[in-house]
Amino acid sequence: MGDDFDPETDIDWTGDKSFRSGFACFVGRPNAGKSTLTNALVGAKIAITSSKPQTTRHSIRGIVNREDSQLVLIDTPGLHKPRTLLGQRLNDLVRETWTEVDVIGVCLPSNQPIGPGDTFLVGEIAKLPKKPKLVALATKTDLVSGDTLRKHLVEIQQLEEKLGISWETIIPCSAVAGEQVDVVADELVKLLPYGPAFYPDGELTDEPDETLVKELIREAALEGVRDELPHSITVEIDEMGLREGRPEDKPLLDVFASMIVERDSQKGIMIGHKGEHLREVGTRARHQISALLGTPVHLDLKVKVLKDWQRDPKYLNRLGF
């Protein structure tokens, strides 16, 4: 298998030339399908998805284990025009990730024309002093006709000359419909350097359970809210652990968590009439947490106000941003 040795990426590795390992991240405008594709490749829900812009706020690592390779996918926030200190920090996180990965997959949704946001994003990657390999992913192919897709693929190809970049490959795919997801994995793996596995076989993410639980609660909270509220919501785990005194075959995970908003009016919306909205969020989150961790869950959820937390360095540090 060592006949496709790439001196640029593989020169430092003197070990086994039959195993590839490395890091890739997906970039794209909000709702381009980055988190959905990450989950489809990993085969488990490790990144939350929502129609709300800037849903992803942390770099979540998903691990794709194969016999001949280990692909580590980093799901990052979308690059956007920051309006708060939080927004600035998320953009810094994205740019930092670009410098650490072997491959960047640029998600360009097939159901939307390539716009200024896409060209800005790819242009920013083109400015990197040491560029990762670039793959174009024409996502959401299940939403368009063949003619629309063909036109979209031509537009993607034209970005090479326009922005001075070079695509290693262009792949039409749909994570929702399962179209060409395996091809995406195959092509990303081909671009990784030779090297040993970074994580034990079978591991799907290196995120602590607490981080995943916080994200699933936030995903449940984002459903059905509108305007500025999605950006104002974050989640803090106050306490989490298996309940003592339970039989081994009947565990129960206790999760005490706070949804944090910026204003009292937002707190009222999150609680809802007679606590109805808070109960709905709790039920949705509890089912998702239980499915992910494989354990029945008791979720105690409350809402707290931290005034303008997105703009306050003290709050951002406390909340892990």
Side-chain angles (χ1 to χ4, degrees), residues 28-29 79 98 106-108 113-127 155-156 158-160 162-165 167:
R29 68 172 87 157
L79 196 70
W98 291 353
V106 182
C107 295
L108 300 157
I114 289 172
D118 300 311
T119 51
F120 170 76
L121 189 64
V122 179
E124 290 298 290
I125 295 168
K127 291 178 193 170
E155 287 179 1
I156 291 174
Q158 288 168 345
L159 287 177
E160 290 190 318
K162 186 175 178 181
L163 300 171
I165 55 144
W167 301 120

Side-chain angles (χ1 to χ4, degrees), residues 114-228:
I114 289 172
D118 300 311
T119 51
F120 170 76
L121 189 64
V122 179
E124 290 298 290
I125 295 168
K127 291 178 193 170
L128 293 173
K130 183 178 181 293
K131 280 184 275 299
K133 293 174 177 176
L134 288 181
V135 170
L137 302 166
T139 55
K140 306 192 179 187
T141 53
D142 57 311
L143 301 179
V144 297
S145 67
D147 285 345
T148 302
L149 179 58
R150 279 187 285 277
K151 185 181 169 204
H152 187 63
L153 295 175
V154 170
E155 287 179 1
I156 291 174
Q157 185 80 56
Q158 288 168 345
L159 287 177
E160 290 190 318
E161 193 174 338
K162 186 175 178 181
L163 300 171
I165 55 144
S166 176
W167 301 120
E168 300 288 336
T169 184
I170 300 172
I171 310 166
C173 60
S174 167
V176 169
E179 292 168 5
Q180 298 243 100
V181 173
D182 287 348
V183 176
V184 174
D186 291 342
E187 293 301 319
L188 292 176
V189 163
K190 279 183 197 170
L191 299 171
L192 299 181
Y194 292 108
F198 295 100
Y199 297 98
D201 191 23
E203 207 163 296
L204 299 180
T205 180
D206 66 349
E207 296 304 316
D209 287 349
E210 198 169 290
T211 301
L212 297 170
V213 167
K214 276 196 293 192
E215 289 292 270
L216 289 174
I217 294 170
R218 189 162 64 88
E219 181 183 54
L222 288 173
E223 203 169 303
V225 297
R226 57 185 187 277
D227 303 328
E228 284 301 297

